[in-house]
Amino acid sequence: SRWTSTAGFLLDVERVNSDGFNYGIQADGGADQAITFAYVKNCVIRCTTAGAGNPASAPVALHNCLLATVDGNTFDGATLAQNGVVAAHASSIRITANRIRNTTADAIVCYHYAGGAGNDTTQMWVARHNDIRDCEGACTMRTDSFNHALMAFEYNYCNTIGGGNTNNSAVYFTAGETASPCRIAKINFGHNIMHNLTKRAFLFGTSTNSTIEYVSGPDLNIQNWGTASAGTYAALDGVSGGTKRLAFFSGYFDGNSNGKYASGQS
């Protein structure tokens, strides 16, 4: 099912069962974010075709929506779909209580590049209470070229089993820089259980002139990371460059003779 809109629009999709396509639900509000609210709830979508485009395939792809909410769904990429949920150029994103399996890249992708819609109103992107297993990566959240005082990312209360190869981590947060510096005020990544990861659990990135002000990760349980190369990867790590001001984390870490450190570059 595919929707596009050139006027104020509400999209409410519930209890859809779909099997066999490269997209399950796809919506695009265009440059003016004409889809005010996109809501996908209680659907079961299995993608069994690897398509083309960006992303190549996904059970749900919501682009240029003012508010995007994906809640209580079951998604299976069948080792063909690239991602589980993609939300691009959305001002506010809520991806909660979903079961996502078998994607060839990240289960969840939220991004905003220069020139996309929503620059003036982007505030919070949330992935919470999701169960993610056997995906190449769990989540990437990337924002470029704007500098909001309230910009916040969350990846909280999730179970993540397997993965960690995409962007060298299971979860990747990054403040990029396309046309101007970018700032993320806060990243919440607490209360997660993560086991059997290929490389890192969390990776934090900032480009040359961009900033992450504060990251908070209480109550973590991370076990057996770095399985691709024993003694190489930290559970929590940072990309060199840019500014990262303050980090707090706590929890239980067991590398199972694979993970090198609990915390690497900061």
Side-chain angles (χ1 to χ4, degrees):
S1 298
R2 186 172 188 271
W3 288 270
T4 59
S5 178
T6 56
F9 190 67
L10 303 178
L11 173 64
D12 187 354
V13 182
E14 298 188 42
R15 299 194 266 301
V16 171
N17 188 348
S18 174
D19 191 343
F21 299 92
N22 63 305
Y23 284 102
I25 308 298
Q26 184 181 20
D28 191 337
D32 296 324
Q33 289 187 303
I35 296 178
T36 303
F37 178 53
Y39 185 49
V40 180
K41 182 178 181 181
N42 294 342
C43 296
V44 178
I45 300 175
R46 184 170 181 264
C47 293
T48 56
T49 302
N54 185 23
S57 52
V60 172
L62 303 176
H63 293 181
N64 299 306
C65 303
L66 188 67
L67 174 62
T69 295
V70 182
D71 179 69
N73 304 279
T74 296
F75 300 137
D76 187 349
T79 66
L80 290 170
Q82 182 180 7
N83 306 115
V85 180
V86 179
H89 306 293
S91 295
S92 184
I93 302 170
R94 303 286 187 277
I95 300 171
T96 56
N98 300 287
R99 183 180 188 268
I100 306 175
R101 298 287 187 276
N102 301 317
T103 61
T104 61
D106 292 295
I108 297 170
V109 178
C110 304
Y111 69 85
H112 197 305
Y113 294 143
N119 291 34
D120 295 332
T121 55
T122 303
Q123 293 185 1
M124 180 172 284
W125 299 349
V126 174
R128 186 184 296 146
H129 295 122
N130 299 292
D131 188 275
I132 297 172
R133 303 188 185 215
D134 301 319
C135 297
E136 182 74 3
C139 180
T140 289
M141 293 187 181
R142 178 185 180 90
T143 181
D144 283 2
S145 300
F146 55 101
N147 206 356
H148 291 303
L150 299 179
M151 187 74 227
F153 290 169
E154 288 192 20
Y155 186 87
N156 283 330
Y157 295 98
C158 294
N159 284 348
T160 306
I161 310 299
N165 196 36
T166 301
N167 294 315
N168 294 320
S169 65
V171 180
Y172 181 42
F173 300 107
T174 179
E177 180 185 344
T178 304
S180 61
C182 178
R183 176 177 57 168
I184 301 173
K186 186 176 181 181
I187 296 173
N188 294 310
F189 65 105
H191 314 285
N192 288 292
I193 297 175
M194 309 179 78
H195 290 184
N196 303 330
L197 306 178
T198 308
K199 295 182 180 177
R200 301 171 179 87
F202 292 94
L203 184 62
F204 303 89
T206 45
S207 59
T208 303
N209 295 310
S210 294
T211 302
I212 296 174
E213 293 184 351
Y214 177 46
V215 301
S216 175
D219 190 28
L220 299 169
N221 185 304
I222 303 177
Q223 299 184 47
N224 196 28
W225 67 89
T227 61
S229 179
T232 301
Y233 297 101
L236 313 178
D237 212 348
V239 176
S240 61
T243 301
K244 304 172 188 66
R245 297 195 188 282
L246 182 64
F248 165 79
F249 64 92
S250 66
Y252 177 75
F253 298 83
D254 180 358
N256 191 36
S257 299
N258 290 309
K260 185 175 184 180
Y261 302 118
S263 177
Q265 177 176 272
S266 62

